[in-house]
Amino acid sequence: MNLDLPALLAQTALLLLMAPLLSGLIKNWKAKLQNRRGPRIWQPYFDVVKFLRKDMVISEHASWIFLVTPYVVFVTALSAGLMVPMITAHAPMSLFGGALALVGLLALGRFFLALGGLDPASAFGGMGSSREMTLSAIAEPAMMLAIFTVAIAAGSTNLSQIVLASHGPHWKFLDPSHALAFAAMFIVLLAETGRIPVDNPATHLELTMIHEAMLLEYSGRYLALIEWGASIKQLVLMSLLANIFFPVGLAADATPAAFGLGLLFLVAKLVLLAGAVVLVETTNAKLRLFRVPDLLSVAFMLGTLALVSTFLF
Amino acid sequence: MENLPATLLNLSLTGYVLGAVAGVLFLRAEKLANIFTFGCASMASLCGVVSSVMVLVTGAAAANQSVQLLPSLIPYIHFTIRVDPLSAFFLLIVSLLGFALSTYSLGYAKGFFGRKNVGVLGAFFNALLLATVLTFVADNIWLFLIAWELMALTAYCLVTFDHEEAETRKAGVLYFIMAHIDAGCVILGFLLLFQASGDYSFASLHDIGAQMSSGKRDAAFLLFLIGFGIKAGIVPLHIWLPVAHPVAPSNVSALMSGVIIKTGIYGLIRVLFDFLGTPPLWWGVTMLTVGTISAVLGVLYALMEHDLKRLLAYHSIENIGIIVMGLGAALMFLHTGHTVLAALALIAGLYHTINHASFKGLLFLGAGAVLHATHTRNMEEMGGLIKRMPQTAFFFLIGAVAISALPPLNGFVSEWLTYQALLQGFGTTDSLMRLIFPLSGAMLALTGALAAACFVKAFGITFLAQPRSKQAEQAHEVSGSMRFGMGVLAAACVALGLFPTQFVQLLDPLTQQLTGQQISAQLSLANGLVLASLTEKSGTVSTLGISLMFVCLLPIPFALWLVFARKSKTRRGPTWDCGQRGLTPQMEYTATGFSKPIRMIFKALFRPRRDVQREYEFSPYFATTIRFESHVEEVFERRIYQPLQILILRVSRQIRALQAGSIHAYLLYIFVTLLSLLLLFAR
Amino acid sequence: MNPPTSESAAHLITLLASIMLVLQLLLVVQRMLVANIRVFATQSLLLAAIAAVVGYAYHAPHVYVVAVLTLAGKVIFLPWWLERLVRQIKIEQEIDAFVNVPAAMLICGAQTVLAYIVARPITSLERLGNNTLAVAIALMLIGFFLMINRRKAITQVLALLTMENGVMLAAIALTTYGMPLVVEIGIFFDVVVAVMVLGILVFRIRETFASMDVSKLNELKW
């Protein structure tokens, strides 16, 4: 086994640095579409630094679970990111796990975040944990079906292998089954990153928040880690979508030019995807909690249809 | 010594017998009884662990021969045992769990001092372990059935250990009835096999299915599926399990959920893979479907529970479902002749079997510790225990992460293998049936995610936040031997999670025996660091690697801390209470509240019913008392078992007419039966 | 017969067809009436695009006529007319359905699988795309289900229209050159007339019963 250390470091840095930018971009565009000026796209960096410098208040009811949660969330998101091909088809840690491990790692982060929400004995946190676990539970089968579709087509659950299989001249622009799987994954993306039809990232209104409710008791550097972790998770899922379904422009050889081009393509794909997310967020209202399963059942059905349409022939 | 494993096994069996005898001897001296019974059991199971590992490591040769255990006094009934790899694997499970449980019991049984007879508990505990071990190593139908019945009976006695309570007695009766339906089915199934072979030894039954007509083979399959299915607790035959497991003492619950239900799995594997020969397609499809349904329904019902032990019992149904999914997939692969894939699916199922034994045992022991400390099983009365029982909480957390199939612990590994088997199974056939693989995979994902939700609830409500009752406030950490027992199982969870490739090597003789393939070499990459699904290309995972990655990435947040936050201060303060005066435990989220969204989403299944009674004097907003009740319908009890029960009672009432009560009438019945049988055979 | 002139045309058609299917599923979920009409318009636009691609790739100019007709009729005229109708009679925006969404999704999924199974033996005949025919059948089946599932008359009109979209797609998929032009134009005008008649009927139902709920037509018996 050979470990490509420079690639590993580069991807870690990319994940760390690009994630806040993506969040900032989405926030900025959303504001623009609503005729507001909106925060600068760099704002999340300043936020993170500010949070890091702040003092912390920790609930007196909280136990060590509350204290380790930020680290778990951050580290799991980052490790999941190292399994996703970003600039080249070869993810640095693809040998250590593929799609299933990625889902598992994100679930581990969520598991601890939900426990962290319950720990300070606040009803808000409990509510957030309950809803987060419920919604992620019903989003998971849809996501798995979509992943299965591409995984079976590629004969591998390894993300690098999946990308390699559809990369190059064989790649057909949005195969019908891929289109269906993409639609399913997109809905799951909205749910997993707490976007508007499912959760509202901008609100702190008790009855509607899900993700934010769990973070209510966090402050200072712990909040910074969790927020950063959440934006890394968003970046990971979006680059997963971008590179699995649109594997163009990935660096083929290890030259600086190829890497530069790969980076450029990645940014372009992420920007497009962010645009789609922003459009959905501004044109839709948040769904009532018990309407969300309807949406996710659509995602599940799309995933099933994706499987059916590829493999029934 | 030449045949060390066999000697050790004999030693272990003797140990259990001694333990049981000691229990009877020291009926009046509870301290001695405690030490001797559970001491014997732990020594005996330690011997069992060593013996089984030796068999698995050295391969089949050493112990794979029939050994006469006792001289047979009755013709045909031979007490012969044989430890083939399959038996050895299950022997490993029972011994490993037996060891942890026995040491745990040394402390746990002290809670019964002065209240209950520990000698009885210890005697039956040993007898149950003995019966279970005999079930796994029996080499002929007779010994198997005797051990099977002995197991059912001793388990019944242990379930009803707290027989003062009506709930326990009722659970015992239900368990008793179900255990006998299951024994009946198993006996009938073996009779069908015996018809073809004409011999009682298991060796003669090998591949006997090839000599049977397909109708009889199918009948045998169904009988065994029902018989062993009841023992394993697959839906819809599971109804006894969530009733009987929780009422037993916790060490017994752990034994039942960890091992006893696995005897059903052992029976299924033994019969389906060893005896019945190449299966038709529908067997595998049935198993896979039943397994999927069990997994999903098990976890859904678990979510609705706020009795900690019942919750765990429902999770046993879920995990049995996952195991059965692996077996079903393996059967489908055997049908199409893909023996390598069959070995993979079988390994997935077996891996999950031992995983489930370790983490479910651990969780039940944790629940037992909590019960020991708070004297309640109701989660709504717990809370804040992590500060009062830190080590128990830590062990429970390990079990919770493992059962939720989260990396890097063992539940993740076996579910990963199951996913791989299902995904690769897709290419084995062209028929429409192959859609079942990814769909059951998706249901497995649903199961995993719901299990995570359930254990956030179980751990969060039980151990975190503020104590919800006086008992929880006054809870204390449990004794050293109990923590040791939990520690052993927690270590097993971690080891099985981090070193899958090394463990899979132990399964080689087993898959060789059942499918004719050894695939551990194909599953291992990079000196065993990485687990691959047959080839590197089709998917790899490394739990050890993931853990290393965690360790390597952790400096990043700490570096951030050092760079930016060196001067920041941390202070403790009250939780945000919206400006009211302090949070009380009543304001915390409850277990029932936590699972409410799921209850609402799946209300077609649960048919939740709620009942609010409010008493007030002036206005409904100022109630003096409020009573709230909420129920979830037990679909299977209402829709299947109740009508069945009514039918049986009605038929029984008709039959009662025959019970004339006069001795002459009975003699007449016997005479007529005799005559008609004679006529039948004289033809 | 003649092979597809270009791989990419066939691919594009299949892709567009599957997006039509996605939109059809969206119709099942979407509860707002106006949004429903717009989704239908988008779906028809895709149909027109498919017709145009067929016309271009197989050099069948008369298929262009179908494309233009679809564009004019189903993308522009009918949605406009239906939206006007909605505004005129001031019906409520939200649509009632008999079956809840997850169950409806399951039913639609089963119908799609059925469509694929039915289309399987005919695949050899089909020369356009891989599973366009299956999608067409699925569109018809789901359209039928939509008609059953919806209470309000106007949504049944929409469902009928989506079924017709399915028929057109099947026509294009099955026969490279489309059906004879006359037949297609005939179907097209049939549907337009049917929709207008239904629209007027809806208007009358509304006036008579002060509701569009078709289950109220029971009352005519008395």
Side-chain angles (χ1 to χ4, degrees):
Chain A
M1 196 188 75
N2 50 341
L3 232 175
D4 194 356
L5 201 61
L8 180 65
L9 291 177
Q11 181 140 347
T12 314
L14 193 67
L15 282 165
L16 284 173
L17 296 180
M18 216 154 110
L21 189 63
L22 190 63
S23 306
L25 188 74
I26 291 178
K27 253 185 210 149
N28 180 274
W29 281 5
K30 228 172 104 179
K32 290 264 160 61
L33 269 185
Q34 294 166 352
N35 283 332
R36 293 186 285 122
R37 250 174 64 208
R40 288 165 297 176
I41 57 173
W42 318 106
Q43 190 60 39
Y45 295 103
F46 298 118
D47 286 349
V48 163
V49 172
K50 189 179 72 188
F51 287 148
L52 280 170
R53 287 182 193 282
K54 288 260 181 193
D55 289 354
M56 283 196 295
V57 182
I58 291 173
S59 162
E60 58 205 9
H61 303 302
S63 64
W64 59 269
I65 298 279
F66 187 81
L67 310 183
V68 300
T69 294
Y71 297 100
V72 175
V73 170
F74 187 81
V75 167
T76 49
L78 209 49
S79 338
L82 293 177
M83 295 169 181
V84 178
M86 289 183 84
I87 295 179
T88 72
H90 299 278
M93 282 297 160
S94 71
L95 193 62
F96 281 179
L100 299 171
L102 179 126
V103 173
L105 282 171
L106 294 181
L108 181 66
R110 188 187 311 121
F111 186 85
F112 271 88
L113 193 58
L115 286 182
L118 278 170
D119 204 13
S122 147
F124 292 129
M127 186 190 70
S129 309
S130 159
R131 293 181 174 176
E132 171 89 358
M133 293 316 284
T134 306
L135 293 187
S136 68
I138 48 178
E140 196 123 326
M143 178 158 166
M144 277 295 183
L145 273 180
I147 289 179
F148 287 171
T149 309
V150 285
I152 291 176
S156 173
T157 56
N158 200 308
L159 291 169
S160 291
Q161 296 290 347
I162 290 175
V163 171
L164 282 174
S166 52
H167 188 216
H170 306 298
W171 186 58
K172 289 195 270 179
F173 178 74
L174 273 185
D175 203 33
S177 71
H178 274 53
L180 291 165
F182 176 77
M185 276 293 265
F186 188 75
I187 295 178
V188 172
L189 171 78
L190 293 176
E192 286 277 328
T193 53
R195 290 289 158 192
I196 250 184
V198 178
D199 184 10
N200 188 348
T203 186
H204 276 93
L205 188 68
E206 292 111 54
L207 298 178
T208 54
M209 59 185 171
I210 300 175
H211 182 78
E212 295 295 322
M214 292 188 291
L215 316 186
L216 215 54
E217 284 300 316
Y218 280 101
S219 54
R221 63 169 185 275
Y222 285 168
L223 184 62
L225 283 181
I226 292 183
E227 294 274 3
W228 204 348
S231 63
I232 291 175
K233 177 180 165 187
Q234 172 176 294
L235 174 65
V236 169
L237 286 172
M238 283 173 76
S239 9
L240 181 73
L241 244 72
N243 279 342
I244 283 187
F245 294 104
F246 308 94
V248 281
L250 290 161
D253 42 11
T255 59
F259 284 140
L261 199 66
L263 184 62
L264 214 64
F265 264 101
L266 177 69
V267 170
K269 282 183 275 188
L270 288 178
V271 163
L272 283 178
L273 209 52
V277 169
V278 167
L279 268 182
V280 171
E281 278 214 286
T282 35
T283 52
N284 281 279
K286 186 186 169 303
L287 284 174
R288 210 155 60 81
L289 182 66
F290 290 114
R291 286 262 166 264
V292 176
D294 294 356
L295 183 69
L296 292 172
S297 72
V298 176
F300 183 78
M301 205 36 71
L302 288 173
T304 318
L305 292 185
L307 264 177
V308 169
S309 67
T310 340
F311 301 109
L312 225 49
F313 287 95
Chain B
M1 235 192 272
E2 200 181 300
N3 202 347
L4 193 57
T7 320
L8 280 171
L9 179 63
N10 282 339
L11 214 60
S12 147
L13 289 173
T14 321
Y16 292 132
V17 173
L18 278 182
V21 172
V24 178
L25 282 181
F26 297 118
L27 271 182
R28 296 273 167 269
E30 50 194 17
K31 277 188 186 157
L32 283 177
N34 184 18
I35 291 168
F36 275 98
T37 52
F38 295 118
C40 279
S42 58
M43 287 302 114
S45 41
L46 206 55
C47 292
V49 172
V50 178
S51 158
S52 54
V53 169
M54 283 176 76
V55 173
L56 285 174
V57 169
T58 58
N64 196 356
Q65 44 193 297
S66 257
V67 181
Q68 189 94 349
L69 198 61
L70 291 170
S72 74
L73 306 171
I74 312 165
Y76 299 118
I77 302 184
H78 300 288
F79 294 104
T80 51
I81 59 170
R82 184 167 59 136
V83 188
D84 60 2
L86 179 62
S87 301
F89 176 72
F90 280 89
L91 184 62
L92 172 65
I93 293 178
V94 62
S95 306
L96 181 70
L97 204 63
F99 176 63
L101 290 181
S102 311
T103 46
Y104 174 92
S105 303
L106 280 171
Y108 183 78
K110 282 183 189 147
F112 292 114
F113 282 1
R115 279 197 304 131
K116 305 284 300 183
N117 196 323
V118 178
V120 173
L121 179 67
F124 279 124
F125 187 82
N126 274 293
L128 180 57
L129 279 172
L130 177 71
T132 314
V133 170
L134 282 180
T135 311
F136 289 145
V137 299
D139 192 33
N140 67 59
I141 298 177
W142 282 111
L143 183 60
F144 181 86
L145 288 176
I146 290 170
W148 188 260
E149 273 301 278
L150 190 63
M151 188 172 71
L153 288 178
T154 43
Y156 167 77
C157 296
L158 286 167
V159 165
T160 54
F161 186 64
D162 279 319
H163 56 82
E164 289 87 354
E165 285 176 37
E167 183 200 357
T168 310
R169 290 197 299 272
K170 224 175 127 192
V173 171
L174 181 61
Y175 170 64
F176 203 69
I177 294 172
M178 292 307 275
H180 278 87
I181 296 174
D182 115 45
C185 289
V186 171
I187 291 172
L188 280 180
F190 273 123
L191 277 179
L192 281 177
L193 297 189
F194 172 71
Q195 242 187 356
S197 78
D199 190 44
Y200 293 111
S201 76
F202 276 5
S204 69
L205 293 179
H206 178 67
D207 220 357
I208 196 73
Q211 301 168 31
M212 294 164 71
S213 71
S214 74
K216 274 190 182 161
R217 224 155 69 104
D218 290 347
F221 166 71
L222 284 177
L223 281 169
F224 282 122
L225 184 63
I226 294 173
F228 291 130
I230 289 177
K231 193 57 104 189
I234 57 183
V235 172
L237 307 168
H238 67 284
I239 55 155
W240 65 274
L241 199 151
V243 181
H245 283 195
V247 297
S250 295
N251 51 352
V252 178
S253 314
L255 188 61
M256 291 187 75
S257 260
V259 181
I260 308 293
I261 58 174
K262 304 294 169 12
T263 57
I265 297 295
Y266 166 78
L268 281 174
I269 295 178
R270 174 66 76 191
V271 165
L272 294 178
F273 290 84
D274 193 359
F275 296 166
L276 284 180
T278 312
L281 184 64
W282 71 270
W283 291 8
V285 176
T286 311
M287 292 268 283
L288 192 53
T289 318
V290 165
T292 311
I293 292 172
S294 299
V296 174
L297 288 185
V299 70
L300 277 175
Y301 278 114
L303 266 160
M304 292 306 113
E305 280 302 330
H306 48 83
D307 175 331
L308 191 52
K309 284 174 76 177
R310 269 179 77 99
L311 179 147
L312 294 178
Y314 271 120
H315 270 288
S316 296
I317 298 171
E318 173 220 329
N319 283 290
I320 286 290
I322 296 172
I323 297 168
V324 171
M325 280 168 80
L327 301 186
L331 282 181
M332 287 178 77
F333 299 146
L334 279 183
H335 170 77
T336 50
H338 294 83
T339 46
V340 175
L341 277 179
L344 178 66
L346 192 62
I347 284 181
L350 291 169
Y351 206 136
H352 202 72
T353 309
I354 190 165
N355 284 346
H356 178 243
S358 50
F359 55 63
K360 185 50 65 64
L362 172 59
L363 289 167
F364 260 118
L365 294 190
V370 169
L371 177 63
H372 192 82
T374 62
H375 305 290
T376 176
R377 300 197 319 240
N378 187 354
M379 282 162 58
E380 313 283 27
E381 291 174 22
M382 298 173 188
L385 295 178
I386 192 168
K387 294 196 177 129
R388 289 155 188 85
M389 317 170 68
Q391 295 187 23
T392 306
F394 179 71
F395 292 138
F396 197 91
L397 183 65
I398 286 185
V401 171
I403 198 175
S404 307
L406 297 173
L409 295 183
N410 57 354
F412 172 75
V413 177
S414 48
E415 290 201 13
W416 187 85
L417 286 167
T418 313
Y419 280 124
Q420 292 296 344
L422 291 174
L423 281 180
Q424 301 203 12
F426 196 84
T428 56
T429 164
D430 272 338
S431 79
L432 212 57
M433 263 315 151
R434 63 183 182 164
L435 273 182
I436 197 177
F437 289 117
L439 284 180
S440 51
M443 286 302 111
L444 184 57
L446 177 67
T447 309
L450 285 174
C454 191
F455 276 91
V456 166
K457 173 181 114 168
F459 184 80
I461 304 290
T462 309
F463 289 99
L464 300 182
Q466 296 189 62
R468 293 174 170 78
S469 70
K470 262 244 146 40
Q471 296 104 299
E473 219 167 296
Q474 291 162 351
H476 52 88
E477 185 60 279
V478 292
S479 69
S481 76
M482 287 169 79
R483 278 176 282 156
F484 177 78
M486 291 190 266
V488 168
L489 290 177
C493 284
V494 174
L496 284 169
L498 293 187
F499 306 103
T501 49
Q502 286 77 358
F503 177 72
V504 165
Q505 284 173 4
L506 287 185
L507 296 179
D508 260 348
L510 221 163
T511 50
Q512 173 72 45
Q513 177 195 358
L514 298 177
T515 64
Q517 295 286 348
Q518 295 201 3
I519 60 167
S520 76
Q522 299 173 50
L523 291 179
S524 165
L525 268 182
N527 297 326
L529 175 65
V530 176
L531 183 67
S533 78
L534 299 179
T535 60
E536 180 179 349
K537 213 174 149 274
S538 58
T540 52
V541 77
S542 166
T543 40
L544 194 61
I546 288 174
S547 322
L548 287 177
M549 226 151 70
F550 286 169
V551 175
C552 295
L553 290 174
L554 260 185
I556 294 177
F558 282 109
L560 288 171
W561 180 5
L562 282 182
V563 173
F564 292 101
R566 221 173 329 149
K567 284 190 215 132
S568 74
K569 287 186 280 295
T570 305
R571 130 180 108 75
R572 287 266 168 181
T575 300
W576 168 241
D577 51 14
C578 299
Q580 304 192 334
R581 251 168 291 155
L583 286 176
T584 62
Q586 278 93 356
M587 296 176 189
E588 285 169 357
Y589 232 57
T590 59
T592 316
F594 192 92
S595 52
K596 168 121 187 186
I598 294 190
R599 193 157 59 240
M600 297 301 290
I601 289 169
F602 294 94
K603 64 171 179 255
L605 169 72
F606 292 128
R607 305 183 179 282
R609 196 158 52 79
R610 51 190 270 176
D611 192 9
V612 184
Q613 289 175 4
R614 217 189 273 264
E615 281 176 28
Y616 57 89
E617 283 174 28
F618 308 108
S619 128
Y621 299 106
F622 298 99
T624 49
T625 58
I626 293 184
R627 211 177 135 275
F628 174 83
E629 246 185 70
S630 131
H631 296 279
V632 167
E633 183 180 293
E634 277 277 1
V635 179
F636 293 97
E637 278 179 25
R638 284 279 301 274
R639 303 289 154 101
I640 300 180
Y641 286 93
Q642 269 184 13
L644 202 66
Q645 189 186 1
I646 292 168
L647 185 74
I648 290 173
L649 284 179
R650 192 175 300 153
V651 173
S652 313
R653 226 168 280 135
Q654 306 283 318
I655 293 177
R656 207 159 62 180
L658 291 176
Q659 295 267 37
S662 114
I663 198 95
H664 299 99
Y666 294 144
L667 285 174
L668 183 68
Y669 296 152
I670 295 170
F671 183 64
V672 170
T673 314
L674 186 66
L675 272 187
S676 47
L677 279 178
L678 281 176
L679 283 174
L680 200 69
F681 283 98
R683 243 178 342 130
Chain C
M1 304 202 209
N2 51 345
T5 43
S6 77
E7 184 86 5
S8 56
H11 182 63
L12 191 60
I13 290 167
T14 329
L15 176 65
L16 291 174
S18 52
I19 298 177
M20 281 179 76
L21 183 60
V22 173
L23 289 176
Q24 184 81 332
L25 289 177
L26 221 87
L27 269 180
V28 178
V29 191
Q30 183 55 259
R31 298 159 60 90
M32 303 314 268
L33 197 48
V34 176
N36 255 322
I37 294 170
R38 287 181 192 157
V39 170
F40 160 72
T42 321
Q43 196 189 41
S44 309
L45 181 66
L46 288 172
L47 182 67
I50 290 179
V53 173
V54 170
Y56 175 77
Y58 300 91
H59 312 294
H62 72 274
V63 186
Y64 282 124
V65 181
V66 179
V68 172
L69 271 180
T70 312
L71 192 71
K74 286 200 197 154
V75 183
I76 300 167
F77 172 67
L78 279 179
W80 167 78
W81 191 73
L82 284 172
E83 275 193 41
R84 204 188 56 140
L85 192 69
V86 169
R87 247 177 294 128
Q88 253 179 11
I89 53 183
K90 297 192 192 69
I91 39 184
E92 296 151 47
Q93 279 290 311
E94 218 162 323
I95 304 166
D96 296 330
F98 285 103
V99 182
N100 70 2
V101 174
M105 273 293 111
L106 274 183
I107 294 170
C108 294
Q111 283 170 332
T112 315
V113 174
L114 183 72
Y116 272 91
I117 296 169
V118 170
R120 217 173 168 185
I122 322 177
T123 323
S124 52
L125 278 178
E126 180 188 355
R127 265 149 290 133
L128 286 180
N130 206 9
N131 37 25
T132 318
L133 179 64
V135 170
I137 298 175
L139 285 183
M140 287 187 256
L141 290 177
I142 297 177
F144 216 114
F145 169 71
L146 261 178
M147 281 179 83
I148 299 168
N149 192 29
R150 290 284 161 85
R151 282 174 197 273
K152 281 186 185 151
I154 199 157
T155 52
Q156 292 182 330
V157 175
L158 267 182
L160 178 74
L161 282 169
T162 58
M163 276 178 76
E164 207 266 343
N165 273 353
V167 174
M168 290 294 241
L169 185 61
I172 295 172
L174 265 183
T175 53
T176 313
Y177 300 106
M179 283 186 259
L181 188 59
V182 191
V183 181
E184 263 168 22
I185 293 178
I187 294 178
F188 185 78
F189 280 109
D190 251 11
V191 170
V192 171
V193 171
V195 168
M196 298 193 64
V197 170
L198 276 170
I200 294 161
L201 250 177
V202 167
F203 200 70
R204 296 281 166 229
I205 296 174
R206 161 85 184 181
E207 278 191 341
T208 319
F209 296 100
S211 159
M212 287 209 315
D213 197 330
V214 265
S215 32
K216 297 226 167 120
L217 288 181
N218 267 341
E219 292 169 23
L220 283 179
K221 280 195 294 197
W222 308 110

